[in-house]
Amino acid sequence: MRRLFGIVFALVCAAAATALTWPTLFGIERTFPLAQIISFRVPLAAGFVAAAALALLFALIRPLRALALTLTVIFVAAAGVNGAMVLQRGTGTDGLPEKTDTSLRVMTWNTAGSATSAESIAQFAVGMKADVVTLPETTIETGTRVAELMRDMGQPMWAHHAEYGEYGITGWDATSTTVLIRPELGDYSVIESSLDGSSNTSTVPSAVAMPVSGNGPIIVAAHAVAPRQEYMTQWRSDLQWLADQCATDNVILAGDFNATLDHMTGLGVEGGTLGRCRDAASESGNGGIGTWPTDFPALLGAPIDHVMATPDWTVTGSVVMRTLDGSGSDHRPIVVQLERTSG
């Protein structure tokens, strides 16, 4: 009976470790509460290491030795796989390559509303030579002020936005998403369905900016609702909506997805991460770096902010900025450099 119990217990632990490490095997990567747990791969790996150490202690008890050693192997393997995933996605690069005349730099930063000053946003955007800046949780008033400050620093931008009133939660900066675009990319306009909410993310808005002139890309300033228990259905719908925006050519998708690469499994087509869009950070050595929250060291956080692009663009570099953790926002900004894909 003891042996049977040990076998059953070991199988249950193995199944649990597998579910946490490869949730896609069971199709549960977007279910509560697993979606929240797998957002933090490094702490999850550390938890498996701690579990393995505890199992080793139980191995000192002779009747439990076989079971304890079996559990140790399971937990060490799970820790190793989780750690390998982070390493494979990238644990950080120091900077971007030199910007060329054909480069496009895209910056995204969830500013947490008034927690981040317009001056901080503008100085960082100008310093990074950003051509496109997406700012979830930023009002058009703040976005306009950022554009004015950038103009005064020699880098003018046009400010666009989408805002929810009756569609979302009033009196909260998260009901607005702003996008800044350099005039050299051409004239842009946010499409009507972004403005009236008829086709958009569910609770906090995204802004789809279409080129009116020039040959610039479609720019989607993304903001999916956070996967709190009461918003899980809306969160899954938001991720699918964002994937649908990448069904065409020449799209850049950037913002706060409130989702890691694990959550996006199955939402990509033709080799994409979401729709046809591919994640720039994971292609350039930063996919394992946490962008939220800034209270945690970057490797312990969740990489939920992304810049993505269709195959029309090639990623040449990215950086997750860790030196701005005291700026007010609980998110780290990302800057990605892209080049037009030849041929």
Side-chain angles (χ1 to χ4, degrees), residues 1-63:
M1 181 61 70
R2 181 187 299 169
R3 174 177 291 183
L4 178 61
F5 173 80
I7 292 172
V8 171
F9 186 74
L11 289 174
V12 168
C13 289
T18 302
L20 289 169
T21 304
W22 288 302
T24 55
L25 289 177
F26 306 96
I28 53 176
E29 66 274 6
R30 291 187 288 274
T31 60
F32 181 87
L34 193 68
Q36 287 71 16
I37 297 171
I38 64 173
S39 298
F40 300 92
R41 282 285 180 183
V42 172
L44 182 58
F48 279 124
V49 170
L54 183 62
L56 276 178
L57 287 177
F58 278 99
L60 298 175
I61 304 173
R62 189 174 186 85

Side-chain angles (χ1 to χ4, degrees), residues 135 143 294 296 335:
L135 300 170
T294 54
F296 287 13
V335 182

Side-chain angles (χ1 to χ4, degrees), residues 88-156:
Q88 187 269 331
R89 291 169 182 173
T91 56
T93 57
D94 293 331
L96 297 169
E98 192 69 26
K99 189 177 183 184
T100 69
D101 291 339
T102 58
S103 299
L104 183 71
R105 285 195 179 174
V106 181
M107 165 185 158
T108 188
W109 194 3
N110 182 327
T111 62
S114 58
T116 309
S117 69
E119 289 76 14
S120 295
I121 301 167
Q123 288 169 5
F124 179 62
V126 169
M128 298 305 295
K129 302 178 182 178
D131 301 294
V132 175
V133 180
T134 68
L135 300 170
E137 299 194 17
T138 305
T139 64
I140 188 57
E141 290 79 15
T142 299
T144 300
R145 177 59 179 156
V146 172
E148 292 170 347
L149 290 168
M150 292 182 69
R151 177 200 62 201
D152 294 342
M153 288 183 257
Q155 189 171 317

Side-chain angles (χ1 to χ4, degrees), residues 258-326:
N258 273 304
T260 70
L261 297 182
D262 296 301
H263 301 127
M264 300 177 192
T265 304
L267 296 178
V269 297
E270 301 178 18
T273 308
L274 275 182
R276 298 177 66 242
C277 287
R278 297 171 299 184
D279 181 64
S282 60
E283 290 193 356
S284 52
N286 282 293
I289 298 296
T291 60
W292 176 88
T294 54
D295 291 339
F296 287 13
L299 274 175
L300 299 182
I304 60 173
D305 300 88
H306 304 271
V307 175
M308 301 187 183
T310 50
D312 311 73
W313 297 91
T314 298
V315 180
T316 58
S318 69
V319 62
V320 178
M321 190 56 61
R322 312 182 210 191
T323 59
L324 296 173
D325 287 1

Side-chain angles (χ1 to χ4, degrees), residues 169-255:
I169 304 169
T170 57
W172 183 33
D173 285 337
T175 59
S176 184
T177 295
T178 293
V179 55
L180 309 178
I181 303 171
R182 289 195 74 169
E184 289 81 356
L185 290 176
D187 292 332
Y188 274 79
S189 177
V190 174
I191 64 175
E192 189 63 32
S193 58
S194 288
L195 300 174
D196 64 20
S198 58
S199 175
N200 207 320
T201 39
S202 63
T203 309
V204 289
S206 298
V208 180
M210 299 287 291
V212 176
S213 65
N215 63 346
I218 299 169
I219 298 168
V220 182
H223 196 187
V225 71
R228 298 184 179 91
Q229 185 173 6
E230 63 272 26
Y231 287 117
M232 290 300 292
T233 299
Q234 293 93 323
W235 174 68
R236 288 188 288 266
S237 173
D238 285 355
L239 293 182
Q240 183 60 65
W241 184 89
L242 291 171
D244 292 343
Q245 307 316 299
C246 280
T248 59
D249 295 330
N250 203 17
V251 177
I252 292 175
L253 184 62

